Amino acid sequence: MTDQIKIKSALISVYSKDGIEELARTLESFGIAIYSTGGTFDFLTGKGISATSIESVTSYPSILGGRVKTLHPKIFGGILWRRNQLTDVEDIEKYEIPSIDLVIVDLYPFEKTVATTNNDEEIIEKIDVGGISLIRAAAKNFKHVVVVPSAELYSSLLQTLRKNHGVTSLADRKLFAAHAFNVSSHYDTQIFNYFNREEYINVFRQSIPTATPMRYGENPHQAATFYGDLKRVFTQLHGKELSYNNLVDVDAAIQFIGEFTEPTVAIIKHTNPCGVASRSTLLRAYLDALACDPVSAFGGIIIANGVIKKDIAEEINNLFFEILIADNFEIDALEILKSKKNRIILQKNSFTFSKRQFKSLLNGVIDQNKDMKTEHISEFQYVTEIKPSAEESEALIFANKIVKHLKSNTIVLIKERQLIGCGMGQTSRVDALRQAIIKAQAFGFSTIGSVMASDAFFPFADCVEIANEAGVTAVIQPGGSIRDVDSIRYCNEHNMSMVFTGIRHFKH
């Protein structure tokens, strides 16, 4: 058997008719006989393209409201027969089964239907049975048959046919078969995940068909690929191609800014917010966020939850930064920001993120619910004799939103809806607090009258002792230590207020 096979017949069964006319006319030009199903047959013949209906081959009409059209031995025999097997040749001749050398399918849009309706009956009807069976059969018999499993591959088939005058090689057919199993496995994964929404079956199964190769990974010697559709999350308005590290920071920035409704600007460095402020205007918020830590802001990621206007653009333009993300940009602001060709400017799209996250770990994958919890004042557990004032309570909530997004161990110091100091990624909570105080003082902030948030409980009273010496007046922490009473006692003795949330916010 030669690996070069000339296509003589094709079966076309497609949901979407986009692009199929050009493909069918090309098949006709090479003298390839076309078989097609109901809707596809009507479309092709309506365009003046010669085709034979499946019904005339099987002598059975489409039944059950279109649920059964191609599921017949005369169709699958024509696809699956092995041209070099004598018994298969005898069966084909005996039962007068027409040979099919090319199968072209475009499946029912199950995934799109799930995304656009909650109607279970409509969704179920979009589970393709015949089409997926045709794809698998043709892919299995790739040594003899070409399979085109989706409209995205029409151009590849056209290129192959035109280049080789209707002839395919074994390598061509095997590549199309690989695409076919990619399409079918993704399709089945979407169906499984729909039926397993309540996670009755505890397995990890994900399929992401869109891939974007990165220039490199976390470091230049590491290869990397992003799987997903970035255009759904943001629109890039300017700048160079995003890197692996850029994407990690962009994700952290977008997740973080979602905590705030008032005009807020955050500056992110290596996924950690190093400058945050909420103000009446974005301009004021940016200036105060930058003041938090202007050193770390260099080369960072800036994100704002509003429209970037000319006034804030002029200020931002004075800073060297990697990426700016906002809900929108005024034209004159963009002109200013585009003055540096490599700056990445992203317009954030409205997008609902998954509530779950996963990553590779050891010899498998670990999956968990995202930390979606944002505490409210009504949930405070008042554990000290003095309660925080209304102003302090608001500041504690603000602090807790930030501490949730910093690497553990972490401590945050806040004054008037502005981050004034933070310590993160430390091996002890005491070190994180000392780092926060040093950072605040280094950039001219007084910690007197500030509030403090911790991502986890205090195992000893040392943190509230150090905080009191720095002038902190109110504390928010999860609580839960066997020595909570020591921290509470110290706060009572030194007129500090402290609230527990019962919620830990570790981040690794």
Side-chain angles (χ1 to χ4, degrees), residues 378-400:
S378 61
E379 299 171 302
F380 282 179
Q381 301 169 36
Y382 298 100
V383 295
T384 52
E385 295 169 358
I386 298 176
K387 291 185 177 181
S389 66
E391 183 178 341
E392 285 174 328
S393 294
E394 291 293 341
L396 290 172
I397 290 294
F398 188 87
N400 220 43

Side-chain angles (χ1 to χ4, degrees), residues 77-322:
I79 296 169
L80 284 164
W81 76 283
R82 291 158 292 189
R83 278 66 169 169
N84 58 342
Q85 291 278 341
L86 181 59
T87 53
D88 285 12
V89 174
E90 290 172 348
D91 283 344
I92 289 296
E93 292 174 350
K94 178 179 178 180
Y95 297 107
E96 298 180 340
I97 297 173
S99 181
I100 298 172
D101 305 318
L102 168 64
V103 174
I104 301 170
V105 176
D106 184 59
L107 297 168
Y108 289 168
F110 177 83
E111 192 172 0
K112 187 179 293 184
T113 305
V114 170
T116 55
T117 183
N118 293 319
N119 187 314
D120 191 61
E121 188 172 332
E122 185 178 345
I123 290 169
I124 297 303
E125 285 306 310
K126 287 298 186 291
I127 297 176
D128 205 314
V129 177
I132 206 78
S133 300
L134 291 170
I135 288 172
R136 290 179 66 84
K140 177 177 180 176
N141 206 23
F142 71 90
K143 289 183 179 179
H144 310 280
V145 178
V146 185
V147 58
V148 179
S150 70
E152 285 74 19
L153 291 164
Y154 291 174
S155 59
S156 296
L157 177 65
L158 284 169
Q159 183 179 358
T160 300
L161 293 175
R162 289 166 177 164
K163 179 181 177 182
N164 302 316
H165 308 288
V167 174
T168 64
S169 68
L170 181 60
D172 293 330
R173 297 190 296 277
K174 193 169 185 178
L175 178 58
F176 277 111
H179 281 299
F181 287 118
N182 179 40
V183 168
S184 65
S185 63
H186 176 75
Y187 197 78
D188 285 341
T189 296
Q190 301 311 307
I191 296 170
F192 169 77
N193 286 338
Y194 176 76
F195 277 89
N196 199 42
R197 286 169 294 172
E198 303 301 323
E199 297 185 10
Y200 299 117
I201 304 172
N202 189 13
V203 297
F204 180 83
R205 187 163 293 146
Q206 292 288 332
S207 176
I208 304 173
T210 307
T212 304
M214 302 279 95
R215 282 177 289 157
Y216 52 81
E218 199 162 10
N219 297 291
H221 63 278
Q222 296 171 265
T225 301
F226 175 80
Y227 296 95
D229 186 359
L230 291 173
K231 292 179 181 178
R232 295 180 63 190
V233 182
F234 55 75
T235 302
Q236 184 164 351
L237 305 178
H238 183 70
K240 62 185 178 181
E241 177 186 344
L242 279 87
S243 69
Y244 176 101
N245 291 331
N246 288 156
L247 290 180
V248 173
D249 283 337
V250 167
D251 176 68
I254 291 176
Q255 302 290 346
F256 178 74
I257 205 68
E259 300 279 357
F260 303 91
T261 54
E262 63 272 32
T264 302
V265 173
I267 302 172
I268 310 294
K269 198 69 173 288
H270 296 296
T271 75
N272 290 298
C274 61
V276 186
S278 293
R279 294 292 183 260
S280 59
T281 67
L282 283 183
L283 173 59
R284 192 67 255 169
Y286 167 70
L287 292 172
D288 287 347
L290 178 61
C292 297
D293 186 349
V295 174
S296 296
F298 184 85
I301 312 297
I302 305 170
I303 188 164
N305 61 353
V307 179
I308 299 297
K309 300 180 179 180
K310 183 179 180 181
D311 56 355
I312 185 174
E314 288 174 335
E315 289 292 339
I316 292 174
N317 196 47
N318 295 322
L319 178 71
F320 170 73
F321 63 91
E322 281 276 328

Side-chain angles (χ1 to χ4, degrees), residues 411-413 420-423 430-443 445-447 450 452 463 465-472:
I411 293 287
V412 162
L413 300 178
I420 64 168
C422 61
V430 168
D431 285 345
L433 173 55
R434 286 175 174 151
Q435 183 187 58
I437 294 169
I438 290 170
K439 294 272 278 189
Q441 293 171 346
F443 296 112
F445 292 104
S446 169
T447 54
S450 63
M452 176 175 76
C463 279
E465 293 171 10
I466 296 169
N468 175 60
E469 291 168 3
V472 172

Side-chain angles (χ1 to χ4, degrees), residues 279-495:
R279 294 292 183 260
S280 59
T281 67
L282 283 183
L283 173 59
R284 192 67 255 169
Y286 167 70
L287 292 172
D288 287 347
L290 178 61
C292 297
D293 186 349
V295 174
S296 296
F298 184 85
I301 312 297
I302 305 170
I303 188 164
N305 61 353
V307 179
I308 299 297
K309 300 180 179 180
K310 183 179 180 181
D311 56 355
I312 185 174
E314 288 174 335
E315 289 292 339
I316 292 174
N317 196 47
N318 295 322
L319 178 71
F320 170 73
F321 63 91
E322 281 276 328
I323 303 172
L324 172 61
I325 311 166
D327 295 345
N328 211 335
F329 296 81
E330 291 189 349
I331 295 175
D332 52 358
L334 269 180
E335 290 177 359
I336 295 168
L337 295 166
K338 287 181 177 180
S339 60
K340 303 289 174 63
K341 68 176 183 177
N342 285 331
R343 280 178 177 168
I344 298 169
I345 301 175
L346 306 177
Q347 181 175 308
K348 186 166 67 71
N349 298 332
S350 177
F351 182 77
T352 302
F353 288 91
S354 170
K355 293 181 180 179
R356 299 191 68 81
Q357 59 186 172
F358 58 88
K359 64 179 179 180
S360 60
L361 193 69
L362 298 174
N363 63 339
V365 171
I366 192 165
D367 169 273
Q368 68 170 356
N369 293 329
K370 283 184 178 177
D371 185 359
M372 307 287 286
K373 178 63 178 175
T374 300
E375 289 76 13
H376 300 282
I377 293 174
S378 61
E379 299 171 302
F380 282 179
Q381 301 169 36
Y382 298 100
V383 295
T384 52
E385 295 169 358
I386 298 176
K387 291 185 177 181
S389 66
E391 183 178 341
E392 285 174 328
S393 294
E394 291 293 341
L396 290 172
I397 290 294
F398 188 87
N400 220 43
K401 289 178 179 179
I402 298 172
V403 85
K404 168 181 167 183
H405 291 268
L406 288 164
K407 294 291 176 63
S408 300
N409 290 306
T410 180
I411 293 287
V412 162
L413 300 178
I414 294 295
K415 243 185 178 183
E416 298 174 351
R417 294 185 303 162
Q418 181 185 21
L419 174 65
I420 64 168
C422 61
M424 81 288 286
Q426 299 301 305
T427 52
S428 81
R429 203 156 300 283
V430 168
D431 285 345
L433 173 55
R434 286 175 174 151
Q435 183 187 58
I437 294 169
I438 290 170
K439 294 272 278 189
Q441 293 171 346
F443 296 112
F445 292 104
S446 169
T447 54
I448 297 173
S450 63
V451 305
M452 176 175 76
S454 173
D455 62 330
F457 65 62
F458 299 130
F460 303 99
D462 46 9
C463 279
V464 292
E465 293 171 10
I466 296 169
N468 175 60
E469 291 168 3
V472 172
T473 59
V475 179
I476 186 169
Q477 58 133 322
S481 168
I482 60 173
R483 292 188 175 87
D484 276 344
V485 65
D486 295 341
S487 295
I488 294 170
R489 183 186 301 114
Y490 184 89
C491 287
N492 286 333
E493 291 172 352
H494 293 83
N495 298 317

